[in-house]
Amino acid sequence: MEAKMSMAASVPVSTKQQGGFDLVAFAAIVVTILSWASSFVVIRICLGPLTPIELATARYVAAGVIALVYLVIYRPMPEKRDFFRLSVAAVLFIAAYAVLLNTGEQTVAAGPASFIINTMPVFTALIATFALGERFGRWGWVGTAVSFGGVALIAVASDGGFKLDPNAVLILGAALCSAIASVLQKPLLGRLPALAVTAWILLIGSVPLFPAVPATIQALAAAPAEVNWGVAYLVIFPTAIGYLTWAIALKRLTAARASNFLYGVPPVATLIGFVWLGETPTALGAVGGVMAILGVLVVNVMRKR
């Protein structure tokens, strides 16, 4: 859930911690960035022995079981009117997002994939314009054009020159799913604790993946040990611990201040991909990555002004 920062965006902020340096919040942000950035690389390692659907199932059904334990113990129940909204958001945020991202990363390297995913705030702003009546403005459209131009460069960048990679479009679809789910969740986060919403999202979102459980178990049994360790890592660190540390950061900082740190995820993912997998970004891909993030910054900063 690497760039899904809106999931807990309504966590109350400690007024004592809004200003100045907060060591706990900073440590939580560092853990979040490292765990979410590394997930793009680990996904690349697990693909091959596991299909995109099997990897999504292994990761999120296990996370759903952890969420179920929390829900059984603490019993945070949403209102009946919220279940449909919660269910749609969960399926988009978990099953659809994971399958699209995993499929895309079969050919798109970890660094470029993380840059594309981080266009999610642009989609969120666009959707909020039509769904919530928020103003988008001229700078919003400029930022959107820059960001999508960067994604287009990433999609055609390869060592052999210009070559369209349709899997980059699938990753863009994952970002769109995440954005739609974020808008759907906004009212829920005002009525339930962020951790409770996260748990329900993980549990409900994993349900469409249940039919793939038998095939996933067989694939994991036949997969190399590093793949099984990779899946365990994805379940524990980017999913369970990453969400927890992000919630801690949001509790101690304003949502806007905490979210700004997440622009560090793509560069860190690119660095980890280079060190771990030897993935060297092309010059064109690097320019596209910078444009993608620049567009997101324009949309967020200039719209607020």
Side-chain angles (χ1 to χ4, degrees):
M1 292 318 188
E2 300 73 24
K4 298 174 183 179
M5 55 271 206
S6 297
M7 176 168 280
S10 295
V11 177
V13 179
S14 170
T15 54
K16 181 181 178 181
Q17 301 294 345
Q18 287 188 42
F21 181 75
D22 186 332
L23 181 59
V24 173
F26 179 76
I29 285 290
V30 170
V31 172
T32 302
I33 291 175
L34 290 176
S35 62
W36 285 356
S38 63
S39 69
F40 292 95
V41 178
V42 178
I43 287 171
R44 292 274 289 171
I45 292 173
C46 294
L47 288 171
L50 300 179
T51 67
I53 293 177
E54 289 168 350
L55 178 55
T57 303
R59 177 180 180 181
Y60 287 109
V61 169
V65 171
I66 296 173
L68 177 61
V69 173
Y70 166 83
L71 293 171
V72 168
I73 294 174
Y74 294 101
R75 301 179 184 276
M77 292 298 296
E79 298 178 17
K80 290 183 179 179
R81 64 191 175 106
D82 289 334
F83 262 108
F84 178 75
R85 178 186 292 268
L86 188 61
S87 298
V88 174
V91 171
L92 289 174
F93 231 159
I94 302 300
Y97 172 91
V99 172
L100 288 171
L101 175 61
N102 293 350
T103 304
E105 279 208 59
Q106 288 180 308
T107 58
V108 178
S114 65
F115 277 106
I116 296 174
I117 284 293
N118 251 40
T119 61
M120 188 269 281
V122 174
F123 281 121
T124 303
L126 279 169
I127 295 167
T129 300
F130 298 101
L132 304 178
E134 295 182 4
R135 285 192 61 196
F136 200 58
R138 179 180 62 208
W139 282 107
W141 292 111
V142 170
T144 299
V146 171
S147 220
F148 287 172
V151 171
L153 286 181
I154 293 173
V156 300
S158 66
D159 293 329
F162 286 89
K163 181 180 178 183
L164 178 63
D165 188 344
N167 280 340
V169 180
L170 295 181
I171 298 176
L172 197 65
L176 176 59
C177 288
S178 182
I180 296 172
S182 297
V183 174
L184 288 173
Q185 288 175 71
K186 191 171 184 180
L188 303 176
L189 289 165
R191 296 192 283 269
L192 281 172
L195 191 56
V197 174
T198 301
W200 279 109
I201 289 286
L202 288 172
L203 178 60
I204 298 174
S206 66
V207 171
L209 301 171
F210 284 180
V213 168
T216 301
I217 293 174
Q218 293 180 355
L220 287 171
E226 68 171 354
V227 172
N228 285 274
W229 282 113
V231 170
Y233 177 89
L234 288 172
V235 172
I236 296 171
F237 289 96
T239 308
I241 294 179
Y243 276 113
L244 176 61
T245 53
W246 178 238
I248 292 172
L250 281 171
K251 187 176 182 63
R252 303 178 71 89
L253 301 173
T254 63
R257 185 180 178 192
S259 296
N260 284 337
F261 285 102
L262 294 184
Y263 294 121
V265 170
V268 173
T270 302
L271 178 60
I272 295 174
F274 173 73
V275 173
W276 199 343
L277 303 179
E279 294 179 343
T280 304
T282 63
L284 193 61
V287 172
V290 172
M291 287 178 61
I293 296 302
L294 178 61
V296 173
L297 286 170
V298 169
V299 169
N300 280 276
V301 174
M302 299 308 295
R303 282 181 74 246
K304 289 176 183 176
R305 291 186 178 182

